[in-house]
Amino acid sequence: MAEMTYREALNLAFKEEMRRDPDVLLMGEDVALYGGSFKVTKGLLEEFGEKRVLDTPISEAAFVGASIGAAMTGLKPICEFLTVGFALVAMDQIVNHAAKIYYMFNGQVNLPMVLRGPGGGGHQLGSQHGQSIESYFLHCPGLKVVMPATVADAKGLMKAAIRDPDPVFVMEHEGLYGMRGECPDDPEFITPIGKAQVLREGKDVTLIGLSKTTHQCLQAAELLAKDGIDAEVIDLRSLNPMDDATLVESVKKTNRAVVVYEGWRTGGIGAEVASRLMEKAFYYLDAPVVRIGGKDIPAPYAYNLEKLVYPRIEEIVMGAKYALDGSPLIIR
């Protein structure tokens, strides 16, 4: 194990996979000469050259389309957005082409490509640059969606995505890039897509997080422990496919669940998790599944307002207590 930052773990994943497989290439705005807007691709141009690390024009539809074409010929492109919000400019290419080609070609053509970029809020980047829009892509069959929360999974999930024969959207959180943690040295280390992880065992209530909210759930669990509440914490990791089995097994034990996510509350990942638990664990639930999501407004720029939009640790604590004994759930 080595200690490194989240961004360094992603960078290491790129280097290991590009050394392993000459078909892997990376393209996007400022990924080459500048090393990426968050310096995630720093040093790749120097090692792998301009044919495998390409700066593109400012046209997401164009370079996603180019990545799709490259993948259809057998190459393995990694396609970076400056922020995940800019993926909306390429929705036709992503939803109508990348996600559907395997099916429309009757399984004769795979699309081994990765879509990736930073998202999430809390850093005063405004309502267009600081968004959590995973639900748009979770809703699209043919596209896998993962959100690494830890340094190890930043490497492991990225490597799994690069090796996957289907298109995978790896959504990173801009607030995690500087986070430090342990990362396996093994170049064959991979985090399987479709498998959640129990980060803390507990018996009273299940807290389900993804990306940055996983860490908030862990902090909330520490506060709940001071009140004698033993919370289990699950990092969802993979949104599509989703690990229903791990969620159900946890709820069988705790009988209560709180799901925490930065995306807008309405139609967000929390609704999908709650629905699956209602379908598969209804008779184990002693209370409704609680959703702690982002507020249904565009994120303001002002810091004092922005911090009210995204889930806060005290909200998670209130949500857990509401699930346990009906304590007032007042979210402002």
Side-chain angles (χ1 to χ4, degrees), residues 15-34:
K15 288 179 178 177
E16 289 180 352
E17 292 305 299
M18 294 178 80
R19 291 166 184 162
R20 173 182 176 271
D21 187 343
D23 288 333
V24 178
L25 57 96
L26 190 142
M27 67 172 73
E29 298 158 9
D30 291 331
V31 299
L33 287 172
Y34 189 66

Side-chain angles (χ1 to χ4, degrees), residues 19-319:
R19 291 166 184 162
R20 173 182 176 271
D21 187 343
D23 288 333
V24 178
L25 57 96
L26 190 142
M27 67 172 73
E29 298 158 9
D30 291 331
V31 299
L33 287 172
Y34 189 66
S37 57
F38 287 90
K39 300 303 178 185
V40 175
T41 57
K42 183 179 180 181
L44 297 184
L45 175 65
E46 290 80 0
E47 179 171 351
F48 300 103
E50 61 185 12
K51 289 187 177 181
R52 295 182 66 192
V53 185
L54 295 84
D55 280 330
T56 66
I58 305 174
S59 176
E60 286 75 16
F63 63 72
V64 173
S67 294
I68 293 170
M72 291 180 73
T73 69
L75 297 175
K76 299 174 182 177
I78 304 165
C79 186
E80 178 184 306
F81 301 105
L82 283 174
T83 79
V84 295
F86 295 162
L88 300 178
V89 182
M91 284 296 272
D92 178 59
Q93 292 290 349
I94 297 170
V95 175
N96 279 331
H97 300 284
K100 293 181 172 63
I101 281 175
Y102 177 83
Y103 300 90
M104 296 179 72
F105 280 66
N106 196 29
Q108 297 178 82
V109 178
N110 285 100
L111 231 68
M113 63 180 292
V114 175
L115 303 163
R116 59 159 294 266
H123 291 81
Q124 290 188 269
L125 293 176
S127 57
Q128 295 176 327
H129 292 69
Q131 302 188 84
S132 296
I133 56 173
E134 60 276 357
S135 294
Y136 289 175
F137 303 99
L138 167 68
H139 185 62
C140 183
L143 183 67
K144 297 177 182 177
V145 182
V146 298
M147 296 182 73
T150 66
V151 170
D153 284 341
K155 176 185 177 181
L157 281 173
M158 182 59 73
K159 289 170 71 72
I162 294 169
R163 297 188 188 189
D164 198 284
D166 300 310
V168 182
F169 205 139
V170 182
M171 294 192 167
E172 304 148 20
H173 197 292
E174 57 206 21
L176 297 180
Y177 281 133
M179 178 185 69
R180 301 190 68 84
E182 291 189 339
C183 185
D185 298 315
D186 183 3
E188 291 303 310
F189 167 76
I190 286 178
T191 301
I193 294 174
K195 183 64 178 173
Q197 183 179 27
V198 178
L199 295 180
R200 177 188 172 116
E201 299 277 352
K203 59 181 176 57
D204 294 329
V205 61
T206 299
L207 305 180
I208 303 164
L210 60 151
S211 191
K212 182 182 176 182
T213 67
T214 295
H215 301 282
Q216 292 178 301
C217 286
L218 288 168
Q219 294 174 69
E222 293 293 331
L223 294 176
L224 288 166
K226 295 178 181 179
D227 292 332
I229 299 170
D230 188 14
E232 181 149 300
V233 176
I234 295 178
D235 177 15
L236 203 53
R237 297 203 291 195
S238 179
L239 280 61
N240 191 9
M242 192 180 295
D243 184 2
D244 294 348
T246 295
L247 301 179
V248 170
E249 283 304 308
S250 180
V251 167
K252 283 183 179 180
K253 178 172 55 173
T254 66
N255 310 119
R256 296 165 178 85
V258 178
V259 57
V260 189
Y261 54 108
E262 284 193 357
W264 296 301
R265 188 175 189 274
T266 300
I269 183 65
E272 181 66 26
V273 171
S275 178
R276 293 185 185 216
L277 289 176
M278 287 294 289
E279 291 170 351
K280 299 183 178 183
F282 177 79
Y283 293 104
Y284 298 100
L285 286 165
D286 288 342
V289 177
V290 177
R291 290 182 293 158
I292 307 293
K295 307 304 183 293
D296 287 331
I297 61 170
Y301 173 78
Y303 177 72
N304 62 323
L305 298 177
E306 183 189 43
K307 68 180 182 180
L308 300 176
V309 169
Y310 298 104
R312 304 187 303 279
I313 295 170
E314 56 266 31
E315 293 177 337
I316 304 171
V317 171
M318 284 192 294

